[in-house]
Amino acid sequence: MNSPINIYISPDTAFQNLIKHTLQTVFFNKGLQCLFTATRDDALLTVGYAEQNDLVISERFHQLLSQNIFSHTQQLTENGNIVNKFGNTDFISTISYLVNSFQEYYDNDPDQYGRFKYTNSLQHKLNSIENNTVQQIIDHLFISHPKLQGLTTMQRKSRVFLTHDIDSVYGSVKEDGRYSLDNMLPGQITRLIYNATIGTPDWLNMDKIMKVEDEFGFKSTFYWLLVKNKQNSDYDFHSPTITKVFNEVKSKGWECGIHKSLGDSSFTDEIKTYGSQPQGNRFHFLKFTLSGGYDLIEQHGLKLDTSLGFSPAFGLRNSFGQPFVPFNLKENRPYHFVEAPQMMMDRTFFNLNMPVGEAKKKLFDFVEKNKYNCVFTINWHNNFFTELKYKGYLQLYRDILTGFKEMGIEGITQSQIIDEYYKPMALAS
Ligand SMILES: [Zn+2]
């Protein structure tokens, strides 16, 4: 391990903890550590508003933050950068802004579910949703900055985090049945009703999912809904059938977490129903806002959230390809959990009516371009493992796993992400 890089932040700079946290995120990305010094003389790098600093911070970015102005139209240039008063890109503030999704703070135009709209995002405006922009900025910084060029750095090989939201296990009769009716498959309807009646409905297929993953040497995480109603699940988490499957999943070494429901029920109630402290969460419908969603994750002792993805678009919602610890602006410290952004979801392609072959091409192009510095978080719902309404998606999942295997891309599990990326950084917290 290299010795830490000494950095001095000029005392007249605001938001010092945010700057420190961003620098720690950047240096961690390169396999380096940084240490903040009390005097300029001890430092390799100096940071501040004045032009003579090695990294010149935008004072305007800080002024707008203190006025609670977060929108990308006000904070960023047309090219998506934050620029300091000398007309140069302020890489550190640009990274702070992107990684922490500040564009979503104080959003006043949410969609019908209360979510930040993809169409209002910077990524939509710049057509950059598939770019690992933050990584590109970090790489650029280490290649071009005279003080950073000579450092020995590392990069992480990309890995894959496989996940499954379990929304429905009894829906097959209705959804696949409708499909069978529309497609003149009467024999299928009889079979679906028969399976549902004898207690092994088609979508209660966690054993099938684990078998497929096991063939390729991967393990995944299942996120369970704890509330049964029209908006949420169609299963009772405490029924003997689900309890049995849940225990099987865990005993085989696969992982679980909670899928926070829509509606009024609280995290406290759902964790009680879950029966033990879960490590991870994904919000059902990806319904959360910032910063409130992150506050809830932390307040309820979760160590990982994996909700940061846009439902209608595949790619990087915060323009960063790796799990990270977000910064809590209100309390001026890092949060106590890791966010592992959801990048690829079956339903995104399904809802866009995209042919499976096209989705496959899109996914593989993305993976090819990002063999380093990504954790590909994939959400494949259990109902997409059947061959009726969601025909083609099981094969696509197999193709993806085959592709990863061939490219030497290994799996990373929920608990491994927490171990590797949750570094309570050297900040007072
Ligand atoms: Zn869901």
Side-chain angles (χ1 to χ4, degrees), residues 72 76 80 97-98 103 120-128:
H72 64 81
L76 306 182
Y97 184 87
L98 291 174
Q103 65 171 342
N120 284 342
S121 72
L122 172 75
Q123 290 78 6
H124 181 263
K125 180 182 155 194
L126 298 178
N127 193 24
S128 65

Side-chain angles (χ1 to χ4, degrees), residues 165-167 225 259-260 282-286 379 381:
D165 290 354
I166 310 301
D167 293 341
L225 278 165
H259 193 35
K260 174 70 186 67
R282 178 175 291 126
F283 289 99
H284 185 39
F285 275 59
L286 307 179
N379 179 9
H381 293 77

Side-chain angles (χ1 to χ4, degrees), residues 15 18 64-65 67-72 74-75 96-109 116 288-295 308 317-318 324-333 335 337:
F15 292 94
L18 175 64
L64 293 175
L65 280 188
Q67 294 163 43
N68 286 337
I69 296 174
F70 288 90
S71 85
H72 64 81
Q74 286 161 287
Q75 278 281 17
S96 304
Y97 184 87
L98 291 174
V99 167
N100 292 295
S101 304
F102 285 159
Q103 65 171 342
E104 303 189 23
Y105 281 51
Y106 296 92
D107 176 33
N108 55 20
D109 181 33
F116 181 74
F288 67 97
T289 53
L290 290 177
S291 60
Y294 285 170
D295 294 341
L308 193 66
R317 176 156 161 181
N318 68 337
F324 65 98
V325 174
F327 190 80
N328 184 333
L329 259 188
K330 245 182 309 186
E331 300 196 8
N332 194 29
R333 58 165 176 81
Y335 280 102
F337 71 91

Side-chain angles (χ1 to χ4, degrees), residues 399-414:
D399 291 347
I400 294 170
L401 299 193
T402 308
F404 283 139
K405 195 88 199 156
E406 282 170 7
M407 283 185 262
I409 292 171
E410 293 179 354
I412 184 167
T413 63
Q414 176 175 263

